[in-house]
Amino acid sequence: MTHLTRIPGPDGVAPAAQYAHVVTGAGRLVAVSGQLALDEDGTLVGEGDAGAQARQVFENLRRCLAAAGATFDDVVKLTYFVTDMAHLPAVRAARAAHLPDDRLPASSAVQVAALVRPEFLLEVEALAVVAA
């Protein structure tokens, strides 16, 4: 039994298609800083390729969550920062490899003018709640 409750469409709010409006849980909070498409050596993965960058970002998120004793099942919120909204399908595809549609977290997507370096196309941060 999961320790999280997902509410995709609260009363009076249009239903969510790619996220849950509300996720609640009890336990220990895990905050994961925004992850970029860097491999373990700090080398950019997928220059100019949003799909490759998104896959690396989600792999980095997976590793960060694991270091805190969490998994994607524990994620309550993802925040996506993209340099172009056209990258969102690639981000969603990478997310789908880790999160099934029945366990989607609350999410926000923000288009930004730039990230820390111009070759980065996206960054994703996560909040998770691990059962106590």
Side-chain angles (χ1 to χ4, degrees):
M1 186 77 141
T2 182
H3 61 285
L4 301 179
T5 300
R6 290 169 176 81
I7 305 168
D11 289 343
V13 178
Q18 294 290 326
Y19 58 93
H21 278 292
V22 180
V23 180
T24 65
R28 182 173 49 89
L29 179 66
V30 175
V32 179
S33 293
Q35 295 299 301
L36 298 163
L38 296 172
D39 66 13
E40 61 272 9
D41 298 320
T43 302
L44 173 67
V45 173
E47 186 164 358
D49 182 343
Q53 287 196 21
R55 288 187 296 276
Q56 183 64 47
V57 163
F58 273 86
E59 177 58 19
N60 291 349
L61 287 170
R62 184 194 66 75
R63 290 175 180 173
C64 290
L65 290 165
T71 70
F72 278 103
D73 284 343
D74 303 307
V75 171
V76 296
K77 176 83 181 337
L78 290 172
T79 304
Y80 310 105
F81 301 95
V82 295
T83 57
D84 187 331
M85 285 294 181
H87 301 321
L88 283 180
V91 172
R92 288 185 186 119
R95 180 193 65 197
H98 298 277
L99 282 158
D101 286 345
D102 66 339
R103 289 199 297 272
L104 294 176
S107 299
S108 298
V110 181
Q111 183 170 330
V112 296
L115 293 166
V116 68
R117 292 189 344 219
E119 61 268 29
F120 294 122
L121 303 176
L122 58 110
E123 180 174 341
V124 182
E125 63 185 25
L127 290 175
V129 175
V130 179

